[in-house]
Amino acid sequence: MLSSSSSSSSSSSSILVAALDWGLGHAARCIPIIRQLKSAGYNLILAADGLPRELLSRSFPDLEIIELPGYNIRYPSKGSMASAMARQIPKMFRAMHFEHRWLESLLDRRSFDMVISDNRPGLYSPRLKSIYITHQINILTPSSLGWTQLLLRDAHIYLMRKFDEIWIPDFAGDVNLSGALAHRSKLPAKFRYIGPLSRFKGCRIDDDDDDDDDDDDDEIDVLALVSGLEPQRMALERLIIGQLEASSLRAVVALGLPGREDKYRVIDNRITIVPHLEDKALFNYAQRCKVIITRSGYSALMDLLYLQRPAILIPTPGQTEQEYLARRMMTQGWFYSESQQDFKIVSAIEKAVQYPKLKIKDETYESIAQRLKEFGL
């Protein structure tokens, strides 16, 4: 991260940062980028909608956030995930077309030097520099549709061609998080590995405030992070809370619903359910729990890298990418995983704590701000 002394060279540059609305993961991994660019003195404006907008507004109350409608994709409650997603492809392309026109219209009224787009392929313009963030160059499909993978990869690269640079939030070497998602083939020069992005990088347990309640220092058995698209988010919430109620475990369950304070409740004086945990609270709960339960989304894995706690991964049923990442973490011996259908919380905890914590050498990557200096910003 650049020091404040470098801010004078960047204070006149305005950057628009926008994240996809598929769950909170895309917005969450933009947080460390926004923090670093703020520290370097850039003028930042954010663009988001729905829960990602709520998350970013809580994290950066001093920054302007422009409403940018999301893709509004939903996962099926049952049936084929592949079929459900295929039916929504026209909606995705309409959203890409809309966000491109939205950006061009915005540029008619306001001046920006760069846009940083997390997985929103339509957010580019020849009128400014553009960065695209993705960890999924190769789009994995169910085995029955394996023949479509090359087509989808080529289509994704085609969509990215308009951007000046593509940032992959992963390690470049053989030991990495994304595996086949971003390491299967040689990539063009403008594709750059920038290292994992986590809002917890650099956190310390002693960051906890001295005046926190004494009860907050008690150990808990489970920290469950419920997230993702509906209706599968709700399905996981009900599954985890139901099994916690039938056990004697002490737990904190974060629902991934920032701004929904009406969701707060306590069950049997041992299960605390909160709509959302801010970064500091989440980090400190993570350090005091025996195990973390979470989806196997890529942003969750990047966070687990820095939280350094045993975890149980529950991939979204039929979500090929999450199922692949969960298998990969098991194969590498980093984290335990169970399917949503077979999940049994007590036995899963016993297995998960036997796994060594994920330890990957955190190689030194040039700062995000330094990358932008190469663009003349």
Side-chain angles (χ1 to χ4, degrees):
M1 183 177 295
L2 295 184
S3 65
S4 58
S5 62
S6 63
S7 62
S8 60
S9 63
S10 54
S11 58
S12 61
S13 297
S14 293
I15 299 176
L16 179 69
V17 181
L20 189 65
D21 67 323
W22 288 23
L24 293 176
H26 294 278
R29 73 188 189 189
C30 285
I31 289 175
I33 292 177
I34 296 168
R35 284 178 181 158
Q36 187 171 153
L37 295 180
K38 278 190 67 181
S39 176
Y42 288 93
N43 177 32
L44 299 178
I45 293 88
L46 313 182
D49 191 19
L51 290 176
R53 181 179 184 177
E54 181 68 29
L55 174 63
L56 292 174
S57 67
R58 294 167 75 97
S59 300
F60 304 101
D62 58 325
L63 293 183
E64 178 186 0
I65 303 183
I66 306 173
E67 182 176 358
L68 172 57
Y71 284 31
N72 195 29
I73 299 299
R74 287 182 62 87
Y75 287 157
S77 57
K78 57 183 178 179
S80 169
M81 172 72 78
S83 297
M85 296 307 289
R87 288 194 297 271
Q88 295 178 86
I89 287 177
K91 180 195 291 187
M92 297 179 201
F93 277 99
R94 285 195 300 270
M96 293 176 202
H97 181 63
F98 171 83
E99 66 193 12
H100 179 65
R101 290 188 292 107
W102 176 90
L103 177 59
E104 292 293 349
S105 177
L106 181 65
L107 293 176
D108 288 338
R109 307 187 308 273
R110 302 182 61 171
S111 176
F112 294 92
D113 299 285
M114 172 175 281
V115 58
I116 298 178
S117 166
D118 190 314
N119 262 100
R120 302 193 73 140
L123 282 182
Y124 65 88
S125 172
R127 291 191 269 176
L128 77 172
K129 299 293 184 180
S130 57
I131 301 291
Y132 184 75
I133 301 173
T134 186
H135 66 276
Q136 195 174 12
I137 308 301
N138 302 302
I139 306 207
L140 304 185
T141 59
S143 56
S144 60
L145 297 173
W147 59 273
T148 65
Q149 285 191 191
L150 185 58
L151 293 175
L152 289 173
R153 177 185 182 276
D154 290 345
H156 195 198
I157 290 179
Y158 177 80
L159 290 171
M160 291 185 279
R161 79 197 190 284
K162 296 289 188 179
F163 290 84
D164 293 287
E165 200 162 88
I166 291 83
W167 290 351
I168 303 171
D170 197 3
F171 300 105
D174 294 334
V175 180
N176 57 72
L177 291 174
S178 62
L181 297 177
H183 288 81
R184 179 173 288 171
S185 55
K186 186 175 180 179
L187 298 173
K190 70 177 181 177
F191 286 69
R192 289 181 174 267
Y193 295 98
I194 62 170
L197 297 171
S198 173
R199 49 197 162 143
F200 302 113
K201 185 174 183 178
C203 286
R204 300 285 187 274
I205 188 63
D206 59 5
D207 287 343
D208 199 11
D209 286 340
D210 293 336
D211 59 354
D212 281 354
D213 294 339
D214 292 339
D215 291 342
D216 287 345
D217 293 329
D218 294 340
E219 184 177 273
I220 58 175
D221 297 298
V222 173
L223 172 61
L225 307 177
V226 181
S227 63
L229 303 184
E230 300 293 1
Q232 288 297 339
R233 191 211 63 80
M234 177 59 75
L236 183 62
E237 174 187 333
R238 291 171 175 165
L239 174 67
I240 290 175
I241 293 176
Q243 294 199 18
L244 284 171
E245 289 182 296
S247 74
S248 60
L249 297 168
R250 297 189 63 198
V252 173
V253 181
L255 301 179
L257 299 172
R260 293 292 306 276
E261 277 68 24
D262 59 303
K263 293 291 186 179
Y264 177 89
R265 60 191 173 113
V266 178
I267 302 173
D268 296 337
N269 204 34
R270 61 182 175 84
I271 304 168
T272 301
I273 300 175
V274 297
H276 174 70
L277 286 174
E278 303 296 343
D279 295 352
K280 180 180 172 182
L282 197 161
F283 177 80
N284 285 310
Y285 275 125
Q287 302 310 307
R288 300 200 309 276
C289 73
K290 292 181 181 177
V291 67
I292 297 171
I293 301 175
T294 182
R295 290 293 194 197
S296 53
Y298 191 72
S299 294
L301 298 185
M302 291 193 291
D303 284 342
L304 289 173
L305 171 66
Y306 292 102
L307 291 173
Q308 286 289 291
R309 303 300 298 163
I312 301 168
L313 305 177
I314 305 176
T316 301
Q319 219 277 29
T320 312
E321 175 196 344
Q322 288 194 16
E323 291 173 343
Y324 166 77
L325 288 171
R327 290 194 304 270
R328 176 172 168 76
M329 295 299 103
M330 286 271 286
T331 301
Q332 298 290 329
W334 291 334
F335 295 116
Y336 179 68
S337 175
E338 280 191 2
S339 69
Q340 188 164 300
Q341 179 180 356
D342 298 329
F343 178 65
K344 299 292 185 292
I345 193 167
V346 175
S347 61
I349 290 173
E350 293 174 354
K351 295 172 183 175
V353 296
Q354 299 176 27
Y355 275 67
K357 289 177 289 189
L358 171 58
K359 290 185 178 180
I360 295 179
K361 182 180 179 182
D362 190 3
E363 304 169 22
T364 300
Y365 285 80
E366 61 186 337
S367 69
I368 299 301
Q370 185 61 38
R371 287 293 321 127
L372 298 194
K373 280 183 171 295
E374 295 193 15
F375 283 95
L377 272 66

Coordinates of all heavy atoms in Angstrom, one line a residue, residues 9 16 21 71 93 109 116 122 157-158 160 190-191 199 204 228 255 291 345 370 373 375:
S9 N 0.2 12.9 -6.2 CA 0.3 12.5 -7.6 C -1.0 11.9 -8.1 O -1.2 11.8 -9.3 CB 1.4 11.5 -7.8 OG 1.2 10.3 -7.1
L16 N -14.0 5.2 -10.9 CA -15.3 4.5 -10.6 C -15.1 3.1 -10.3 O -14.5 2.4 -11.1 CB -16.3 4.7 -11.8 CG -17.7 4.1 -11.6 CD1 -18.5 4.8 -10.6 CD2 -18.4 4.1 -13.0
D21 N -23.5 -8.0 -8.5 CA -24.4 -8.2 -7.4 C -24.8 -9.7 -7.1 O -25.8 -10.0 -6.5 CB -25.7 -7.4 -7.7 CG -26.5 -8.1 -8.9 OD1 -25.9 -8.5 -9.8 OD2 -27.8 -8.1 -8.8
Y71 N -27.7 -7.6 -11.9 CA -28.2 -8.6 -12.9 C -29.4 -9.4 -12.4 O -30.1 -10.0 -13.2 CB -27.1 -9.6 -13.2 CG -26.0 -9.1 -14.0 CD1 -25.6 -7.7 -14.0 CD2 -25.3 -10.0 -14.9 CE1 -24.6 -7.3 -14.8 CE2 -24.2 -9.5 -15.7 CZ -23.9 -8.1 -15.7 OH -22.9 -7.7 -16.4
F93 N -27.1 -10.8 -20.8 CA -26.6 -10.0 -21.9 C -27.4 -8.6 -21.9 O -26.8 -7.6 -22.3 CB -26.8 -10.7 -23.2 CG -25.6 -11.7 -23.5 CD1 -25.7 -13.0 -23.2 CD2 -24.4 -11.2 -24.0 CE1 -24.6 -13.9 -23.5 CE2 -23.3 -12.0 -24.3 CZ -23.5 -13.3 -24.0
R109 N -22.1 13.2 -18.3 CA -22.4 14.2 -17.2 C -21.2 14.4 -16.3 O -21.1 15.4 -15.7 CB -23.6 13.7 -16.4 CG -24.8 13.4 -17.3 CD -26.1 13.1 -16.4 NE -25.8 12.1 -15.4 CZ -26.0 10.8 -15.7 NH1 -26.3 10.4 -16.9 NH2 -25.8 9.9 -14.7
I116 N -13.0 0.6 -12.6 CA -12.6 -0.8 -12.2 C -13.9 -1.6 -12.0 O -14.7 -1.3 -11.1 CB -11.8 -0.7 -10.8 CG1 -10.5 0.1 -11.0 CG2 -11.5 -2.1 -10.3 CD1 -9.7 0.2 -9.8
G122 N -19.8 -5.2 -19.1 CA -20.3 -4.1 -19.9 C -19.7 -2.7 -19.5 O -19.9 -1.7 -20.2
I157 N -13.4 -14.3 -22.7 CA -12.2 -13.6 -23.2 C -12.6 -12.5 -24.2 O -12.1 -11.4 -24.2 CB -11.2 -14.5 -23.7 CG1 -10.6 -15.3 -22.5 CG2 -10.0 -13.8 -24.4 CD1 -9.5 -16.4 -23.0
Y158 N -13.6 -12.9 -25.1 CA -14.1 -11.9 -26.1 C -14.7 -10.7 -25.4 O -14.4 -9.5 -25.8 CB -15.1 -12.6 -27.0 CG -15.7 -11.6 -28.0 CD1 -15.1 -11.3 -29.2 CD2 -17.0 -11.1 -27.8 CE1 -15.6 -10.5 -30.1 CE2 -17.5 -10.2 -28.7 CZ -16.9 -9.9 -29.9 OH -17.4 -9.1 -30.8
M160 N -13.9 -9.6 -22.5 CA -12.9 -8.8 -21.8 C -11.9 -8.1 -22.7 O -11.1 -7.3 -22.2 CB -12.1 -9.8 -20.9 CG -12.8 -10.4 -19.7 SD -11.7 -11.4 -18.7 CE -11.7 -13.0 -19.6
K190 N -2.0 -8.8 -21.0 CA -2.7 -7.9 -20.2 C -3.5 -8.5 -19.0 O -4.2 -7.8 -18.2 CB -3.6 -7.0 -21.0 CG -4.8 -7.8 -21.6 CD -5.7 -6.7 -22.4 CE -6.9 -7.4 -23.0 NZ -7.7 -6.3 -23.7
F191 N -3.4 -9.8 -18.9 CA -4.0 -10.6 -17.8 C -2.9 -10.6 -16.7 O -1.8 -11.1 -16.9 CB -4.4 -12.0 -18.1 CG -5.6 -12.1 -18.9 CD1 -5.7 -11.6 -20.3 CD2 -6.8 -12.6 -18.4 CE1 -6.8 -11.7 -21.0 CE2 -7.9 -12.7 -19.2 CZ -8.0 -12.2 -20.5
R199 N -10.5 -8.5 2.8 CA -10.6 -7.4 3.7 C -9.9 -7.6 5.0 O -9.8 -6.7 5.8 CB -12.1 -7.0 3.9 CG -12.9 -8.2 4.2 CD -14.4 -8.0 4.0 NE -15.1 -9.2 4.0 CZ -16.4 -9.4 4.5 NH1 -16.9 -8.4 5.1 NH2 -17.0 -10.5 4.4
R204 N -5.3 -8.0 13.0 CA -4.7 -8.6 14.2 C -5.8 -8.8 15.3 O -6.7 -7.9 15.4 CB -3.6 -7.7 14.8 CG -2.4 -7.5 13.8 CD -1.5 -8.7 13.7 NE -0.4 -8.4 12.9 CZ -0.3 -8.5 11.5 NH1 -1.4 -8.8 10.9 NH2 0.8 -8.2 10.9
G228 N -24.9 -15.6 -0.5 CA -25.3 -16.1 -1.8 C -26.6 -15.7 -2.3 O -27.3 -14.8 -1.6
L255 N -26.1 -13.6 8.6 CA -27.0 -14.0 7.5 C -26.7 -13.4 6.2 O -27.3 -13.6 5.2 CB -28.4 -13.6 7.9 CG -29.0 -14.2 9.2 CD1 -30.4 -13.7 9.4 CD2 -29.0 -15.7 9.1
V291 N -14.6 -23.5 14.5 CA -14.7 -23.7 13.0 C -15.6 -22.7 12.4 O -16.5 -22.2 13.0 CB -15.2 -25.2 12.8 CG1 -16.7 -25.3 13.2 CG2 -15.1 -25.5 11.3
I345 N -23.8 -31.2 11.2 CA -22.9 -30.2 11.7 C -22.0 -30.8 12.8 O -20.8 -30.4 12.8 CB -23.7 -29.0 12.3 CG1 -22.8 -27.9 12.7 CG2 -24.5 -29.5 13.6 CD1 -23.6 -26.6 12.9
Q370 N 0.2 1.1 -7.4 CA 1.3 1.1 -8.3 C 0.9 0.7 -9.7 O 1.5 1.2 -10.7 CB 2.4 0.2 -7.7 CG 3.7 0.3 -8.5 CD 4.4 1.6 -8.5 OE1 4.3 2.4 -7.5 NE2 4.9 2.0 -9.7
K373 N -0.4 3.6 -11.4 CA 0.6 4.6 -11.8 C 1.2 4.2 -13.2 O 1.6 5.1 -14.0 CB 1.7 4.6 -10.8 CG 1.4 5.4 -9.6 CD 2.6 5.5 -8.6 CE 2.3 6.5 -7.5 NZ 2.2 7.9 -8.0
F375 N -0.6 3.3 -15.6 CA -1.5 3.9 -16.5 C -1.5 5.4 -16.6 O -2.2 6.0 -17.3 CB -3.0 3.5 -16.1 CG -3.3 2.0 -16.5 CD1 -3.1 1.0 -15.6 CD2 -3.8 1.7 -17.8 CE1 -3.5 -0.3 -15.9 CE2 -4.1 0.4 -18.1 CZ -3.9 -0.6 -17.1

